[in-house]
Amino acid sequence: MLKGMAVLESFDTERQRLNTTQAAERAGLTRAAARRHLLTLAHLGYLDTDGSHYWLAAKVLRFSGSYLASARLPRLLQPTLNRLAAQTRESFSAVVLDGDEVVIVARSVSVGGQRLMAYGLHLGARLPVHATSTGRVLLAALPRIEFNAWLKGRELPRLTPHTVVEHKAFRAAITRVRTEDLALASEEHELGVHALAVPLRNMRGQTVAALNVVAAPDRLTLEVMRHDLLPLLLEAARELRLLL
C-alpha cells in the first residue's frame, strides 16, 4: 500500500508522464517493483497508459473530491474567501503544509473581476513551499529547531530568476516573516505573479493554514497590496480564529 502510494505521488506538474524507470527513481523502488505497482494502479483505473508511459487518470480525483467535500477546514474557509473575492475582485487561496509543498484546500476568484489564475493555482494544487508566500508563512510557524532541520542540506530549486535559493538569504526571509507576521513573494514561483500571505491561527495560537492573495505586478504593486489588501487579510484571519 505504501509503495503504491509512493508511485502515485511520483506524478506531479513537472512529471505528468512517467515510464517504469522514471517512476522507480522517483518512488525509490526497484524497476520491477515500480512496474508491478504501475500495472496494478492502471488495472484499478488510477493510471492511464499507452504501454510505455503512465499518467494519472481522472479516478484519482475521488481522493481530493472526498477530502474537499468532507473536511472541516475547507468548509470553514470557503465563505470567507468568497467574500474577500467579491469585495476586492482578487484571487484568494487557503493552503496547508504537507512536507516540501503547500496544498491549496480552498480557492476563490471573483466572478466578473480580476481572473488571475497563475500556473498551478487550482484547488488541490501542490506548490513548492520555499517559493510561495503561504509556504514561508507556514515554515515560519515551525519551531526553529524543526525549521533548521528542514533546511539543513536542502537544495532550494530556482523556479524563476527571482527565487531565493541561498540558505542565508532564505533564513533572513523566514526571520522577516516571523517578525512581520506576513509574507510577500514577488515572482518567485512564477513570473508575473505577486503574492501576500498571512497565517491562520486557531484559538490556541497554532498556525493551521495560510491565507493569501495574488495579483499581477503590472496591476498591483507589493506596496499597494500591503496597504489595501493586508488589512482585509488580517481582519479575515481574526474572524476565522474563532472558528478554527
Side-chain angles (χ1 to χ4, degrees):
M1 179 64 178
L2 291 177
K3 293 180 180 179
M5 292 303 296
V7 171
L8 273 182
E9 291 177 354
S10 298
F11 296 87
D12 55 29
T13 54
E14 294 181 0
R15 287 286 191 175
Q16 299 175 9
R17 295 167 61 92
L18 299 174
N19 60 29
T20 302
T21 300
Q22 292 167 331
E25 292 175 352
R26 292 173 69 85
L29 302 173
T30 64
R31 191 176 184 281
R35 182 174 185 277
R36 183 168 63 252
H37 288 294
L38 287 168
L39 291 173
T40 298
L41 290 167
H43 175 72
L44 294 174
Y46 293 107
L47 295 178
D48 287 329
T49 180
D50 59 7
S52 60
H53 286 79
Y54 298 81
W55 56 93
L56 295 178
K59 191 174 181 180
V60 300
L61 294 174
R62 293 184 182 181
F63 297 120
S64 59
S66 296
Y67 168 75
L68 294 171
S70 62
R72 177 173 176 270
L73 187 60
R75 288 186 288 112
L76 288 176
L77 298 177
Q78 194 62 55
T80 297
L81 298 187
N82 292 344
R83 174 173 57 81
L84 289 170
Q87 183 178 357
T88 65
R89 297 186 176 183
E90 304 299 341
S91 302
F92 294 83
S93 300
V95 312
V96 296
L97 183 63
D98 185 15
D100 296 341
E101 299 172 310
V102 292
V103 183
I104 298 177
V105 297
R107 175 80 175 146
S108 187
V109 180
S110 177
V111 176
Q114 172 65 20
R115 289 179 171 270
L116 174 70
M117 291 297 286
Y119 175 69
L121 294 190
H122 54 81
L123 200 61
R126 307 178 70 87
L127 307 174
V129 66
H130 74 287
T132 54
S133 61
T134 50
R136 291 183 180 176
V137 163
L138 295 171
L139 285 177
L142 295 176
R144 281 176 170 76
I145 190 171
E146 289 187 24
F147 171 71
N148 290 336
W150 180 88
L151 185 60
K152 184 177 181 180
R154 182 181 300 272
E155 179 181 354
L156 303 177
R158 187 181 298 279
L159 305 178
T160 77
H162 306 289
T163 308
V164 175
V165 296
E166 296 80 13
H167 279 205
K168 184 177 180 180
F170 190 74
R171 285 183 184 277
I174 296 300
T175 298
R176 187 162 56 251
V177 173
R178 292 194 185 107
T179 301
E180 298 184 346
D181 211 27
L182 62 91
L184 290 162
S186 179
E187 301 187 279
E188 293 197 44
H189 172 249
E190 179 186 354
L191 293 176
V193 178
H194 279 331
L196 167 64
V198 298
L200 293 177
R201 297 188 176 96
N202 59 24
M203 290 298 291
R204 296 185 297 277
Q206 300 167 324
T207 298
V208 297
L211 172 65
N212 88 329
V213 58
V214 296
D218 59 358
R219 195 175 59 82
L220 287 180
T221 66
L222 287 175
E223 290 73 21
V224 170
M225 292 178 73
R226 183 191 281 266
H227 182 270
D228 294 347
L229 298 178
L230 178 59
L232 299 178
L233 292 178
L234 294 175
E235 179 184 4
R238 284 193 293 269
E239 295 173 354
L240 288 168
R241 185 167 189 164
L242 300 174
L243 303 175
L244 299 176

